[in-house]
Amino acid sequence: MEETSREAVATAVQRVAGMLQRSDQLDKVEQYRRREARKKASVEARLKAAIQSQLDGVRTGLTQLHSALLDVKDIQGSLADVSKDWRQSINTIENLKDVKDAVVQHSQLASAVENLKNIFSVPEIVADTQQLIEQGELLQAHRKLMELECSRDDLMYEQYRMDSKNTSDMNLISIYFEDVQGLSDELAKQLWMVLQRSMVTVRRDPTMLVSVVRIIEREVKIDRRMVDRKKQSGFIPPGRPKRWKDKMFEVLEGTVSTRIEGTQSVTREADKMWLVRLLEITRKYVLDDLIVVKNLMVQCFPQHYDTFNRFFGLYHNAVSSRVKELAAEDLEANEIVSMLTWVLNTYKSVEMMGHPELASECDINALEALLPQDVVDDLLSKYVKTFTSNITGWLRKALETDKKDWQKETEPEADQDGYYQTTLPAIVFQMFEQNLQVAAQIDGDFKEQVLKLCLKQMNTFLIRYREEAVTYKEEHLRDRQLPQCYVQYMIAIINNCQTFKESINSLKRKYSQSSEPTDSDAAIERTLSEVAKEGCQFLLDEVFLDLEHHLYELMTRKWLTGSHAVDTICVTVEDYFNDFNKIKKPFNQEMTSEALRRVVVEYIKAVMQKRITFKNADERREGADRMIKEADQFKFLFRKLAAGEDTDRLCGAIAAIAEVFKLTDPTLLFLEVTTLVSKYPDIREEHIQALLAVRGDASREMRQMIIGTLSENKVTYSAVTQPIFKDIAVPTITNTMTSMTSMATAKLLK
């Protein structure tokens, strides 16, 4: 209390201090005092009211507790009186046992009297019921059957209540009503028969199906009532519960399964397209049946059956079981494709389960997969394995067929632009296209997988194609007269490489979602380039085999005295290139450039082999003029053949060498050689020595001076500029003698 008082005083002091902070507030002290007095009186009044309310509540509670105590005492006395009366009545209840037995017996007799008419008419009702079942009057038959079962069950129930251990009377009742169970079974058969034909029945006579459902619903209610009575009394009639509703769904499930399994009408031996036919029939049956269920059958069943979704699930499960059985068979590659296309695409499409008429009733996305993913993966793996084996065989067969065409005596066909070609690229890519179209029907990822497999097989095939082209060339070299159209078919082989490249790019654009190049793409491009370049090389080899004799005449005495070797070379090259025009770009241009380079190199080789040594200035001038003239011939020819920008430089090498020969003042020879070296920095010392040797008037000291000076001021050449002299070897004395012997032999043979 003291602490509370101190806190109150402190609070009051703080409050007064807050009110009297300024001098002008002292005038209002009396006003503040009256206001605080009013607040104090108000608080004291509220406190007194609260205390009075609490006291009234306590007083009321005490009064109620006192009343409750009096009530408990009264109840306690009443319970004592009831207990006394109950003890006195026990003997009286035991004396009424005979009355109780009489009541039970009276109840049984009353039930017997009530069913007496039915008991005597049981044979007649059985006969009527049997007749109604045979006539298809199922509702009336079931009504009479219920009467019979009700009479039997009531009698048995009363007997069970009177003496549950009296089995003889129970058996007597069972024997008397033994035909009832037979009628029940017979009626059930009729019900199941109607349900098995429900798809036909609902179209022709939906009332029959409605009757069946009503009968089953009645039996469900009776089953429920009998089970409840069993819980109370322990008695249940024979044959109960019938569970006809469960049996109904089992029959419907079996009917759906039978309908799906019965779609196979032919086998693989009778029809190669058996699986396609089977799947199409299944699709049609399932779609037609579900539309019938939606439009007709739903109305024949109670709403709580959820009829459409139930049938939808039954058909899905039946189809799933069927396709699993089919997937377990030894399917061929085309059958695997048909199966997976149907399962993964057709099944959920608008052609089947996603049909617009069914879309409002079901969610196809909630359906489980028809085939487990591991089964799908196994089928895809099997297809890939078979496809790999098949495509290897197809490619081998296609190449063998193309090789036979190479031996023909007629030229290969030309495309619309006049380029030679064979049918090999079209055949190969038709095979790829067909298989990729099939793979695209299954799945986008699988399409990519098949495309990669095709490209991988293509790379292997092109390696084999290259080997066969080399073999083709080697066989031709054994007898250059055979085959007659070697050049034309080698051109077709080169063109095929370009066609292969274009076709591969077309396939990738059409069937691949990725534009990034792969290792397989690089390998194919490399192999195609090698095949084409080797083919061009083979053709140039063919040209230079025909030119070999004429190239031997260059820079010889015969050449100096008026040989027509270069004229023949130009005519021969032009004649060959009339055929080479049938080569596609860019290979034709590359080949023309290479032909020019080889002609120039062979010409310069003839110079370096020192087949001739000029005896005097007249011979040097005459030889140089001939070289310049022939360089112009080559330049004119290869410009006509569109050899490219390097034509002038290559032909200029011959003219530059001619200028070295044509020089009349030996003292200026160093300057001329220096000019040659500056134009063609890849020329070597041995080349200069060979040129000076052919010129014939350069002394040993002059040759040494020129070589020494050039060595001191060696010019480096750019790697960008294609070298001419780099691969030209200057023969030694032994090689020169061999060359001269060969030339002599050639002259003798001529």
Side-chain angles (χ1 to χ4, degrees):
M1 289 296 289
E2 292 180 359
E3 184 178 355
T4 304
S5 298
R6 284 196 300 273
E7 289 180 357
V9 171
T11 302
V13 171
Q14 186 177 3
R15 186 174 180 82
V16 170
M19 292 178 182
L20 302 176
Q21 290 182 355
R22 298 188 307 272
S23 58
D24 60 340
Q25 291 177 331
L26 293 173
D27 297 335
K28 299 180 181 180
V29 169
E30 185 62 26
Q31 183 181 349
Y32 291 155
R33 188 185 63 76
R34 287 195 299 269
R35 186 176 65 185
E36 293 300 322
R38 286 196 299 270
K39 287 183 179 180
K40 178 181 178 184
S42 175
V43 171
E44 288 177 350
R46 288 201 301 271
L47 182 59
K48 289 178 180 179
I51 293 173
Q52 184 63 39
S53 176
Q54 291 293 329
L55 291 174
D56 291 343
V58 171
R59 187 180 297 108
T60 302
L62 291 174
T63 302
Q64 291 176 348
L65 287 174
H66 181 70
S67 298
L69 179 61
L70 295 176
D71 292 340
V72 168
K73 289 181 179 179
D74 291 341
I75 292 170
Q76 186 177 7
S78 299
L79 287 175
D81 294 340
V82 169
S83 177
K84 181 178 178 182
D85 293 341
W86 176 73
R87 289 190 183 91
Q88 293 175 354
S89 62
I90 290 177
N91 296 331
T92 305
I93 293 172
E94 291 178 355
N95 294 331
L96 292 176
K97 184 176 183 303
D98 294 337
V99 176
K100 179 182 176 182
D101 294 340
V103 169
V104 172
Q105 188 175 8
H106 180 272
S107 176
Q108 292 173 345
L109 292 174
S111 177
V113 170
E114 184 180 351
N115 292 285
L116 189 60
K117 182 179 179 181
N118 292 336
I119 293 172
F120 285 118
S121 60
V122 164
E124 181 182 352
I125 297 175
V126 167
D128 291 343
T129 305
Q130 182 67 42
Q131 186 177 3
L132 289 171
I133 292 174
E134 293 173 357
Q135 293 174 355
E137 300 292 338
L138 302 183
L139 275 176
Q140 296 183 29
H142 185 251
R143 182 175 57 79
K144 290 187 173 294
L145 177 62
M146 286 194 299
E147 292 177 3
L148 291 171
E149 289 181 338
C150 184
S151 299
R152 180 197 63 184
D153 297 345
D154 287 346
L155 289 172
M156 286 187 167
Y157 178 63
E158 295 301 334
Q159 178 61 36
Y160 179 83
R161 288 176 61 194
M162 184 176 66
D163 188 2
S164 60
K165 298 180 180 180
N166 189 353
T167 57
S168 60
D169 290 345
M170 282 287 192
N171 292 335
L172 181 62
I173 297 173
S174 297
I175 293 172
Y176 187 76
F177 286 92
E178 62 182 353
D179 293 335
V180 174
Q181 186 60 42
L183 288 174
S184 178
D185 295 340
E186 184 66 26
L187 178 61
K189 289 180 182 179
Q190 295 298 317
L191 299 180
W192 311 149
M193 190 178 299
V194 172
L195 289 171
Q196 288 169 356
R197 301 172 57 197
S198 56
M199 288 298 170
V200 178
T201 303
V202 78
R203 290 183 176 98
R204 295 180 180 176
D205 185 11
T207 56
M208 177 66 75
L209 185 59
V210 172
S211 298
V212 171
V213 175
R214 288 179 61 188
I215 291 171
I216 292 173
E217 279 295 292
R218 289 176 184 172
E219 290 294 334
V220 169
K221 293 178 181 178
I222 296 173
D223 278 349
R224 190 181 301 117
R225 190 168 63 250
M226 293 297 108
V227 170
D228 291 341
R229 189 165 67 177
K230 180 183 178 183
K231 293 177 180 178
Q232 296 175 0
S233 63
F235 171 78
I236 190 166
R240 291 288 177 184
K242 293 184 179 180
R243 297 189 177 90
W244 278 8
K245 184 177 180 180
D246 295 339
K247 180 63 177 178
M248 174 183 67
F249 291 131
E250 291 177 8
V251 171
L252 290 175
E253 182 178 358
T255 300
V256 171
S257 298
T258 302
R259 185 158 175 78
I260 298 302
E261 292 173 359
T263 54
Q264 184 168 349
S265 56
V266 293
T267 60
R268 181 185 291 118
E269 291 73 17
D271 186 356
K272 292 295 184 182
M273 301 297 291
W274 68 277
L275 185 58
V276 175
R277 293 180 183 275
L278 186 153
L279 295 174
E280 176 58 22
I281 292 173
T282 301
R283 183 199 67 80
K284 187 175 183 303
Y285 279 8
V286 171
L287 179 59
D288 291 347
D289 288 357
L290 287 176
I291 291 176
V292 169
V293 171
K294 174 180 177 289
N295 295 330
L296 299 176
M297 195 170 290
V298 168
Q299 303 170 14
C300 299
F301 289 84
Q303 186 175 0
H304 67 271
Y305 275 33
D306 195 13
T307 306
F308 180 82
N309 286 326
R310 186 179 292 273
F311 271 92
F312 194 79
L314 290 177
Y315 275 96
H316 174 74
N317 294 335
V319 172
S320 179
S321 298
R322 184 60 178 141
V323 295
K324 287 176 182 176
E325 293 175 0
L326 293 172
E329 296 184 11
D330 188 16
L331 296 177
E332 298 177 356
N334 61 320
E335 294 171 350
I336 292 175
V337 170
S338 299
M339 168 72 74
L340 293 178
T341 302
W342 193 88
V343 168
L344 300 177
N345 300 320
T346 304
Y347 183 70
K348 290 187 178 181
S349 70
V350 295
E351 298 178 1
M352 197 171 176
M353 301 306 243
H355 193 275
E357 284 200 45
L358 308 179
S360 61
E361 301 293 333
C362 63
D363 181 11
I364 58 173
N365 296 321
L367 285 175
E368 295 182 359
L370 281 180
L371 287 176
Q373 188 58 44
D374 59 337
V375 176
V376 174
D377 293 340
D378 288 343
L379 289 174
L380 290 176
S381 176
K382 183 178 179 181
Y383 173 81
V384 168
K385 183 177 180 180
T386 305
F387 169 71
T388 303
S389 176
N390 290 343
I391 203 169
T392 302
W394 293 335
L395 292 174
R396 185 184 299 111
K397 185 177 180 180
L399 183 55
E400 292 298 326
T401 303
D402 204 55
K403 282 170 55 183
K404 292 179 181 178
D405 291 343
W406 297 352
Q407 306 299 326
K408 288 182 178 179
E409 298 179 358
T410 56
E411 294 183 352
E413 296 180 358
D415 62 11
Q416 65 271 18
D417 297 321
Y419 297 118
Y420 287 137
Q421 64 179 5
T422 67
T423 58
L424 181 62
I427 293 173
V428 169
F429 283 94
Q430 184 179 8
M431 291 187 294
F432 287 169
E433 179 83 20
Q434 290 173 352
N435 284 278
L436 284 168
Q437 287 176 356
V438 168
Q441 295 174 5
I442 297 176
D443 182 66
D445 293 338
F446 183 63
K447 175 189 65 177
E448 292 278 354
Q449 183 180 353
V450 171
L451 176 60
K452 290 179 182 178
L453 180 60
C454 288
L455 295 178
K456 181 179 179 182
Q457 291 295 318
M458 186 67 195
N459 190 35
T460 305
F461 167 76
L462 289 176
I463 294 173
R464 175 72 175 167
Y465 191 54
R466 177 185 180 185
E467 295 172 352
E468 293 297 340
V470 173
T471 303
Y472 182 54
K473 170 241 186 180
E474 292 173 349
E475 291 176 351
H476 170 70
L477 291 179
R478 296 190 189 101
D479 184 356
R480 294 188 61 213
Q481 301 301 317
L482 297 175
Q484 294 183 7
C485 296
Y486 167 78
V487 172
Q488 289 80 3
Y489 276 99
M490 187 58 72
I491 291 173
I493 291 172
I494 297 170
N495 289 338
N496 285 350
C497 293
Q498 187 65 15
T499 305
F500 278 133
K501 183 177 179 180
E502 294 169 356
S503 300
I504 289 171
N505 291 334
S506 175
L507 282 182
K508 289 187 65 180
R509 285 193 301 271
K510 188 173 181 180
Y511 293 102
S512 178
Q513 298 177 353
S514 173
S515 58
E516 296 295 327
T518 62
D519 294 340
S520 181
D521 297 337
I524 290 175
E525 180 118 9
R526 185 169 55 252
T527 306
L528 284 172
S529 179
E530 290 173 353
V531 173
K533 289 181 178 179
E534 287 180 357
C536 292
Q537 193 69 36
F538 296 160
L539 290 176
L540 289 178
D541 291 344
E542 185 73 7
V543 174
F544 282 89
L545 281 174
D546 285 349
L547 297 179
E548 186 175 14
H549 174 71
H550 306 291
L551 291 172
Y552 280 146
E553 288 186 8
L554 296 176
M555 302 304 295
T556 62
R557 284 291 166 186
K558 182 178 180 181
W559 167 79
L560 186 62
T561 56
S563 170
H564 297 287
V566 171
D567 295 334
T568 306
I569 289 171
C570 290
V571 171
T572 303
V573 169
E574 186 172 9
D575 181 58
Y576 268 105
F577 270 82
N578 286 332
D579 284 335
F580 295 167
N581 285 332
K582 304 294 179 66
I583 299 176
K584 291 183 177 181
K585 295 180 180 180
F587 302 119
N588 56 354
Q589 187 172 2
E590 294 175 0
M591 189 171 179
T592 308
S593 300
E594 180 62 20
L596 169 60
R597 185 177 183 282
R598 286 186 64 170
V599 167
V600 172
V601 168
E602 290 296 330
Y603 198 105
I604 296 174
K605 277 184 179 179
V607 175
M608 299 303 167
Q609 288 175 357
K610 296 173 285 190
R611 299 173 184 173
I612 187 175
T613 301
F614 296 122
K615 296 179 179 180
N616 50 51
D618 292 337
E619 284 190 357
R620 286 192 290 275
R621 185 180 63 256
E622 183 180 354
D625 290 342
R626 178 175 286 275
M627 290 176 68
I628 293 172
K629 177 185 176 183
E630 290 172 349
D632 290 339
Q633 283 183 268
F634 291 145
K635 187 183 299 184
F636 175 79
L637 171 64
F638 283 99
R639 279 181 177 173
K640 182 179 178 182
L641 298 178
E645 299 177 355
D646 218 23
T647 303
D648 291 346
R649 181 173 178 276
L650 288 170
C651 295
I654 299 175
I657 293 173
E659 293 297 333
V660 175
F661 293 153
K662 191 176 182 179
L663 186 66
T664 56
D665 187 356
T667 59
L668 300 176
L669 190 58
F670 172 74
L671 295 176
E672 196 64 44
V673 171
T674 303
T675 302
L676 175 64
V677 172
S678 64
K679 290 182 179 178
Y680 303 95
D682 62 312
I683 195 168
R684 301 191 299 274
E685 293 179 3
E686 55 266 30
H687 295 142
I688 303 299
Q689 290 178 348
L691 293 179
L692 296 177
V694 172
R695 180 179 167 85
D697 64 341
S699 63
R700 181 176 180 183
E701 292 77 9
M702 182 178 291
R703 291 199 301 269
Q704 289 177 348
M705 183 272 294
I706 292 172
I707 296 300
T709 306
L710 290 175
S711 299
E712 293 175 0
N713 302 281
K714 193 171 184 180
V715 180
T716 58
Y717 66 93
S718 174
V720 177
T721 304
Q722 188 177 19
I724 300 175
F725 293 88
K726 181 181 178 182
D727 297 326
I728 298 177
V730 177
T732 60
I733 297 177
T734 304
N735 291 337
T736 304
M737 293 298 295
T738 303
S739 176
M740 292 175 63
T741 303
S742 299
M743 293 173 61
T745 303
K747 290 180 179 179
L748 290 174
L749 291 174
K750 185 177 179 182

